[in-house]
Amino acid sequence: MIKNIQKHLLLHYPIIWNIRLIPMLLILIAIHIIFFAIGYIATDTVFDSSNYYYSPADDLGLIYFGSILVGILLFIGWLIFYSRNNSFKNFYPRKSPYLFLEWILILVITTSITLIPATLTRGSIYKWNSAASLSEATKVMDLLDKVRILIPDDKDNYRYDSDNNKPIPIPSGMALRIDTLDLDLYAFDYNRDGNIVIKGYTGPSILFYHNYDYNYYDTNYYTNYEYSADELKEKKEAKERVKKIEEIKQWFRDGNKEAILALMTDYLKLQEKHNMPATLTANEWLKKIYNPPYFAVNENTIIASSSSDAYYYDYDHDTSRQQTYLQYQELSSGYDKIIRSYNDNDVIRIITLVCICISTILSVFIFSFRATTGKSWLIAFVACGVLLFLSAFIGVVLSEIADYRRGEIYGLFLCSFWIILFFILMSIIIAKIKNTGNKGKSNIFVNLFMWLLPFICPLIYFGHYFFLDVVESEYYYNINDNEVLECVFWVNILITIVIMFPISMLIRKWKSIPEE
């Protein structure tokens, strides 16, 4: 069937036949389905890690590099078949739209090949999405935010902070023997007779619990800081988590053991749902940490928050022992990963952008190779390397001569050099077309000119970027670098596609010039 299709295309649509579009699309569809399935199957969602990687590429490991290798091999194989018939050598009688169409088809093929790693990533993300719905994962994270205070895995987060805490009052009628107390755990003073007066408990306690959320983007330290929309959102979420923790602390102060026990029970049900063993029951858990009036955190109340910390090594006695643990870190890390797979599209968006940028560059390189000759293409490649070296060397010399902002001056020179070279090459090609004569060395110029096309917008952006920094413009410091940079590359792809049509017309006219 494919042979019949190819024969029909050869007779009626030679461009599509020559580029092997139909066989390549069938092969690429199959490969994308395979790598989507691989990404799905290879992704581990059994909540056995206490720290999942931010990027799916890190989780997939060597499989990710395998997808890139498959793309490279497929690209080479396609080039072998595509290069057998080069209509570009005699294409000047053809209309410019056909040249542009052939480049578009090249771009479709190269984009489909370079997007294989993105498809692998999609498979991994879809696996995490299938583990739980967004509403379910959000509900579980709400539970985990509350439970965190009930799992004292160390004393650091439970220590007294004089700036934010007050000593826990000594209950009236509670007799204290000063000679048996560890005064490091209490706030005290001296009376007129020189006797010690205990003011309150300041040792590690659940009531003193605090974490990073308590100090997140503290405006006391960043009074002149202008928050971005994402930072404001994160700050709001941190405040909500702190509010939940303070609610749990109030349960301890009010003696609301029923609410605490219910929270513990809900958490243990979650562990049971994921087939995680529990080393204590809800009542044992409550008995272990609910110790009024101070709710002290010490060696007797420690509960490891991960199965990896199940064994405690005592360096003083050179012994190890198993300690009580809950798999909080595994659950928290897993459900956080699920929520990020729904809400955080940065990774897949950046991977897609990089793949399309690479495919655009490859398509232009292939088009220039087809439009000129292999010899001129190789000479242009060597010349490009020489120009890169010379421009970098001159840039270093100029930056060393400069008294300040050497890095910015170096970057400004490089961007300016290649931008000016681009327009010089374009002028030479246009002049060659208008003047009577032969192509001469213009084959090399055409290659260099076309290679610079996919880079011209980023070069203009970075040149403007460095220029503003050199002149110390205030506008420079208000730029959101990541958002603007991403926008520049997307716009660059669109501009490249649009400009390739007049470039095709220019190449068609240039191709009509005699070789000698």
Side-chain angles (χ1 to χ4, degrees):
M1 184 180 69
I2 295 178
K3 289 183 177 180
N4 292 331
I5 293 174
Q6 285 292 90
K7 183 178 180 180
H8 178 77
L9 292 175
L10 175 61
L11 296 174
H12 299 90
Y13 306 99
I15 294 179
I16 297 178
W17 170 84
N18 186 48
I19 205 169
R20 304 298 193 273
L21 182 65
I22 302 302
M24 281 301 298
L25 288 181
L26 292 175
I27 294 172
L28 283 166
I29 289 172
I31 288 178
H32 277 272
I33 292 174
I34 291 171
F35 273 97
F36 183 90
I38 291 174
Y40 184 89
I41 296 171
T43 300
D44 183 7
T45 59
V46 296
F47 297 86
D48 58 353
S49 174
S50 59
N51 184 25
Y52 285 99
Y53 292 110
Y54 180 81
S55 171
D58 297 323
D59 291 331
L60 295 171
L62 292 176
I63 300 177
Y64 209 82
F65 292 100
S67 69
I68 297 174
L69 180 60
V70 168
I72 293 173
L73 294 176
L74 187 62
F75 176 72
I76 294 173
W78 170 69
L79 277 182
I80 292 173
F81 284 96
Y82 179 46
S83 60
R84 288 180 178 178
N85 301 286
N86 189 359
S87 61
F88 279 75
K89 292 182 178 179
N90 303 292
F91 66 11
Y92 59 87
R94 294 162 58 188
K95 296 180 180 180
S96 298
Y98 288 97
L99 306 184
F100 178 69
L101 174 61
E102 183 148 0
W103 176 76
I104 288 293
L105 294 177
I106 294 172
L107 180 62
V108 169
I109 296 295
T110 55
T111 301
S112 301
I113 292 173
T114 57
L115 283 176
I116 293 174
T119 300
L120 180 68
T121 306
R122 281 288 184 188
S124 176
I125 292 175
Y126 185 77
K127 179 67 172 290
W128 279 109
N129 290 349
S130 64
S133 66
L134 179 59
S135 60
E136 181 184 355
T138 303
K139 184 178 179 181
V140 170
M141 285 304 296
D142 180 71
L143 169 65
L144 295 175
D145 289 340
K146 294 178 180 178
V147 164
R148 183 65 188 92
I149 188 177
L150 306 179
I151 309 176
D153 51 357
D154 59 45
K155 299 179 183 179
D156 291 339
N157 289 339
Y158 298 84
R159 295 191 186 280
Y160 173 74
D161 182 2
S162 59
D163 294 330
N164 300 301
N165 303 129
K166 294 181 180 180
I168 300 174
I170 306 298
S172 58
M174 184 176 183
L176 296 176
R177 293 184 57 183
I178 303 299
D179 57 334
T180 61
L181 294 179
D182 183 356
L183 294 181
D184 291 336
L185 303 179
Y186 294 87
F188 61 89
D189 203 350
Y190 294 91
N191 59 19
R192 293 181 179 180
D193 299 329
N195 296 321
I196 296 176
V197 179
I198 303 298
K199 298 292 185 179
Y201 178 81
T202 58
S205 168
I206 288 178
L207 300 183
F208 296 146
Y209 177 80
H210 63 279
N211 57 15
Y212 179 68
D213 288 332
Y214 278 73
N215 300 319
Y216 189 63
Y217 293 128
D218 192 341
T219 53
N220 293 327
Y221 295 96
Y222 302 96
T223 54
N224 297 322
Y225 186 81
E226 184 177 350
Y227 298 107
S228 67
D230 290 339
E231 289 171 334
L232 288 172
K233 180 182 177 182
E234 291 175 1
K235 184 177 177 66
K236 181 180 179 181
E237 292 174 351
K239 287 184 176 180
E240 289 297 323
R241 289 192 291 268
V242 168
K243 185 178 180 181
K244 296 172 188 176
I245 293 171
E246 291 301 320
E247 180 184 5
I248 307 301
K249 289 181 181 179
Q250 193 59 44
W251 290 353
F252 279 87
R253 296 188 187 99
D254 297 340
N256 192 352
K257 296 174 65 176
E258 292 77 12
I260 299 171
L261 186 62
L263 186 62
M264 292 175 171
T265 302
D266 290 341
Y267 171 81
L268 291 175
K269 288 180 180 178
L270 179 64
Q271 277 208 173
E272 183 180 357
K273 175 184 176 181
H274 291 279
N275 299 318
M276 295 178 175
T279 57
L280 75 174
T281 64
N283 288 317
E284 292 171 342
W285 186 359
L286 181 66
K287 182 179 180 181
K288 190 175 183 68
I289 68 170
Y290 191 85
N291 302 303
Y294 306 136
F295 306 104
V297 174
N298 49 44
E299 288 74 10
N300 297 322
T301 62
I302 292 294
I303 301 175
S305 60
S306 172
S307 59
S308 60
D309 300 324
Y311 287 90
Y312 171 77
Y313 186 78
D314 187 347
Y315 288 94
D316 295 332
H317 301 89
D318 194 25
T319 58
S320 63
R321 59 180 173 82
Q322 186 174 9
Q323 61 182 357
T324 304
Y325 71 92
L326 295 170
Q327 292 181 263
Y328 173 88
Q329 294 292 346
E330 288 88 337
L331 288 171
S332 178
S333 179
Y335 277 98
D336 178 69
K337 181 77 172 183
I338 292 174
I339 291 176
R340 282 192 282 113
S341 71
Y342 280 104
N343 296 333
D344 192 355
N345 296 317
D346 289 348
V347 173
I348 189 64
R349 192 175 67 248
I350 295 301
I351 290 176
T352 302
L353 175 59
V354 171
C355 291
I356 296 177
C357 286
I358 293 173
S359 70
T360 304
I361 295 170
L362 287 175
S363 66
V364 172
F365 270 60
I366 294 170
F367 190 84
S368 71
F369 179 81
R370 302 276 289 180
T372 59
T373 62
K375 180 180 179 181
S376 62
W377 197 91
L378 288 174
I379 294 174
F381 187 81
V382 174
C384 185
V386 173
L387 289 172
L388 279 170
F389 175 78
L390 289 177
S391 60
F393 178 76
I394 296 172
V396 170
V397 173
L398 291 176
S399 63
E400 290 297 324
I401 295 173
D403 294 331
Y404 75 113
R405 297 191 181 279
R406 295 180 175 179
E408 289 78 4
I409 291 175
Y410 175 76
L412 179 59
F413 170 78
L414 285 183
C415 293
S416 302
F417 174 84
W418 291 103
I419 293 171
I420 293 171
L421 179 62
F422 174 79
F423 288 104
I424 290 175
L425 292 171
M426 183 171 62
S427 301
I428 293 173
I429 295 169
I430 293 173
K432 179 65 70 172
I433 293 172
K434 290 184 176 181
N435 297 331
T436 58
N438 54 40
K439 287 188 176 70
K441 303 297 183 182
S442 60
N443 279 308
I444 301 172
F445 301 148
V446 167
N447 279 302
L448 291 172
F449 169 70
M450 294 186 66
W451 295 351
L452 284 173
L453 179 61
F455 299 96
I456 198 66
C457 283
L459 285 172
I460 292 173
Y461 166 74
F462 284 113
H464 182 238
Y465 194 81
F466 289 124
F467 175 76
L468 291 175
D469 195 24
V470 169
V471 299
E472 299 182 346
S473 171
E474 291 295 329
Y475 174 73
Y476 167 83
Y477 296 102
N478 293 326
I479 290 178
N480 189 324
D481 293 344
N482 293 332
E483 294 179 2
V484 173
L485 190 60
E486 186 177 342
C487 182
V488 165
F489 281 100
W490 281 117
V491 170
N492 177 62
I493 293 169
L494 295 176
I495 291 177
T496 302
I497 294 173
V498 172
I499 293 180
M500 275 303 293
F501 183 76
I503 293 296
S504 300
M505 297 174 60
L506 187 68
I507 297 300
R508 178 179 177 273
K509 293 180 180 179
W510 170 83
K511 193 68 177 176
S512 64
I513 302 173
E515 294 290 340
E516 296 180 357

